[in-house]
Amino acid sequence: MKFQFRHYVFLLLICFLTTFVFLLVGELNEGRQGLSTDGHVRGRNITILLWHWPFGRPQSLKGDVCWDNHRISGCHLVDQRSLYSSADLVVFHHRELMTGKEKLPINLPRLGEQKWVWLSLESPDNSGHLKPFSNVFNWTMSYRRDADITVPYGKLLPQEGEGCAENSTKEVVTEEKSLLACWVVSHYNPKHKRSLVFQSLKKSIPVEVYGRWRRRGLAPSNLLPTISRCYFYLAFENSISKDYITEKLWRNAYQAGAVPVVLGPPPEDYKAVAPPNSFIHVEDFTSTEELGNFLHQLQLDKERYARYFAWRHNYKVKLYTDWRERLCSICPHYHSLPAQKMYPDLEAWVRS
Ligand SMILES: *[C@@H]1O[C@H](CO)[C@@H](O)[C@H](O)[C@H]1NC(C)=O
Ligand SMILES: *[C@@H]1O[C@H](CO)[C@@H](O)[C@H](O)[C@H]1NC(C)=O
Ligand SMILES: *[C@@H]1O[C@H](CO)[C@@H](O)[C@H](O)[C@H]1NC(C)=O
């Protein structure tokens, strides 16, 4: 009894200490960025005009969207083209330009410091020809870390104090897991690298396949519970390119509580955004057989397997799915973005 009580006090102490450290770090960060974190404090709102809605699906911009939903002040999102002349930024989503559904208002004058922003979350393979977009854009907005505005598919946020004992490693590990490796695939293309790796890997280990390809589509509410029954999730990107790491990692694997086996950009790109020892990269093995053996052994070694979830003590997954949130995220960085810039050859940048 006495021991348990001391144990409890000790845990509580750790929790308090962690909270304190997080708060302190938060304060320091805020202090460093000073007053330049949004438009508001500089006395004027930043107006962002979205020229057309991505995939033709408009969303409501009623009220002060950035403040109401994301606590970002001084950031005014609009979609009325009549406000063009008062826009600090005009954002163009690439897909509709590429398909010709929308056109650039190329003969409208650019007033003062107005920036035209190229927005795309697609990989280069799915971006078509970009030569027509030379000498047009001032800033890029993409999942790439070297874009002017980086809009990742997801990221990890420090877990603030209160989450301390929640969702711990133990919970994930003791969850019912009955399948070694799982994959969800809708558009199967036998020529994709991921298909070749899958075909070869399934010779050494069983892989449970879901998704439209196998007519085993999963309803959104069923996706994470299904994957949570798997030790490993094949977070294989459909396109292999720099920084192209999608919700296959953030949602399907991390949120479901399966260890991601990743195929995509090189390990360095993953290491830059994901915690060490939280994923298994296909390229770190000389063959799929070696990878299969590794997964097999790891599944049997509960302690070692659990270490792949250690990050969950300190971080939680943040997914980005709302275009408005992505647009709002420009404002806190606005004043540190290059004042003068243009992309003479967007194609070259995209393919670089
Ligand atoms: C900025 O926008 C907010 C919300 O729309 C508005 O209340 C405020 O008056 C604006 N500030 C300036 C300086 O225009
Ligand atoms: C913890 O798990 C619960 C239910 O399993 C979930 O609702 C909650 O979002 C999780 N919290 C974090 C910080 O991941
Ligand atoms: C934005 O790009 C255009 C076209 O490339 C260029 O003429 C203009 O000077 C740039 N504006 C700024 C503020 O960088």
Side-chain angles (χ1 to χ4, degrees):
M1 191 63 200
K2 196 174 165 213
F3 171 77
Q4 280 184 355
F5 179 69
R6 272 169 48 196
H7 195 92
Y8 176 73
V9 168
F10 179 71
L11 270 179
L12 208 65
L13 199 69
I14 296 274
C15 258
F16 275 126
L17 276 175
T18 317
T19 311
F20 178 71
V21 168
F22 272 121
L23 286 178
L24 194 69
V25 169
E27 290 284 321
L28 287 177
N29 276 342
E30 242 158 80
R32 195 166 333 124
Q33 286 156 9
L35 295 178
S36 64
T37 50
D38 58 20
H40 206 67
V41 289
R42 297 248 172 140
R44 144 184 119 71
N45 290 328
I46 296 162
T47 299
I48 301 176
L49 168 60
L50 181 62
W51 193 252
H52 53 262
W53 281 91
F55 309 101
R57 291 196 284 264
Q59 289 176 289
S60 164
L61 294 180
K62 282 213 182 76
D64 187 346
V65 173
C66 297
W67 176 254
D68 297 344
N69 302 339
H70 310 294
R71 286 296 177 261
I72 293 172
S73 64
C75 199
H76 191 207
L77 287 192
V78 296
D79 60 1
Q80 299 102 310
R81 293 181 181 178
S82 59
L83 297 175
Y84 174 82
S85 58
S86 63
D88 297 287
L89 287 84
V90 187
V91 178
F92 300 92
H93 184 249
H94 177 66
R95 171 57 62 111
E96 293 73 31
L97 299 177
M98 179 182 100
T99 58
K101 214 169 157 280
E102 298 285 351
K103 299 244 176 311
L104 284 168
I106 212 74
N107 37 23
L108 283 182
R110 262 179 244 196
L111 302 144
E113 294 295 290
Q114 188 183 70
K115 306 292 188 304
W116 284 22
V117 182
W118 181 80
L119 166 61
S120 176
L121 292 182
E122 301 295 330
S123 67
D125 292 345
N126 292 312
S127 299
H129 294 294
L130 290 144
K131 285 293 176 204
F133 306 109
S134 299
N135 291 306
V136 174
F137 294 105
N138 302 100
W139 289 341
T140 51
M141 185 167 175
S142 98
Y143 55 82
R144 270 173 59 174
R145 280 175 293 144
D146 61 352
D148 298 295
I149 303 141
T150 302
V151 278
Y153 281 82
K155 70 177 177 190
L156 296 183
L157 293 177
Q159 178 101 262
E160 298 181 17
E162 79 260 22
C164 225
E166 234 193 328
N167 300 21
S168 67
T169 303
K170 223 177 201 147
E171 274 174 62
V172 171
V173 175
T174 53
E175 250 169 45
E176 275 295 285
K177 290 199 187 293
S178 50
L179 299 163
L180 181 59
C182 301
W183 191 29
V184 177
V185 60
S186 299
H187 304 287
Y188 183 88
N189 179 338
K191 285 188 219 137
H192 279 165
K193 183 166 177 198
R194 65 176 184 181
S195 310
L196 303 175
V197 173
F198 160 73
Q199 291 298 344
S200 170
L201 182 62
K202 78 180 171 63
K203 290 180 190 144
S204 19
I205 58 162
V207 179
E208 194 75 13
V209 182
Y210 301 93
R212 284 200 296 280
W213 175 48
R214 287 285 174 85
R215 298 207 175 82
R216 291 183 83 193
L218 295 171
S221 62
N222 210 8
L223 179 73
L224 299 189
T226 303
I227 299 174
S228 73
R229 294 168 51 229
C230 316
Y231 283 86
F232 302 101
Y233 180 76
L234 306 187
F236 287 6
E237 300 299 348
N238 60 14
S239 189
I240 311 285
S241 42
K242 178 152 134 190
D243 289 335
Y244 188 64
I245 300 172
T246 69
E247 76 291 339
K248 293 174 176 66
L249 175 78
W250 305 110
R251 184 190 61 194
N252 300 17
Y254 283 162
Q255 279 196 332
V259 173
V261 176
V262 302
L263 176 74
E268 303 82 74
D269 287 19
Y270 284 91
K271 284 179 192 151
V273 295
N277 201 48
S278 69
F279 60 89
I280 294 162
H281 200 294
V282 170
E283 274 176 32
D284 288 333
F285 298 83
T286 52
S287 67
T288 49
E289 197 188 346
E290 192 193 313
L291 170 62
N293 289 337
F294 179 78
L295 298 182
H296 225 103
Q297 281 163 19
L298 190 53
Q299 177 207 17
L300 299 172
D301 185 344
K302 300 286 177 225
E303 245 172 66
R304 191 167 172 212
Y305 179 74
R307 270 183 249 135
Y308 280 81
F309 296 101
W311 61 271
R312 292 168 79 102
H313 290 300
N314 307 318
Y315 295 99
K316 61 182 177 200
V317 175
K318 161 85 183 137
L319 282 184
Y320 290 94
T321 53
D322 188 317
W323 291 103
R324 293 167 299 186
E325 181 174 18
R326 295 183 180 114
L327 293 166
C328 295
S329 80
I330 300 172
C331 288
H333 306 290
Y334 181 76
H335 294 293
S336 51
L337 286 164
Q340 285 289 327
K341 188 165 181 178
M342 63 139 144
Y343 283 80
D345 188 351
L346 186 65
E347 169 104 32
W349 182 79
V350 167
R351 314 243 168 242
S352 68

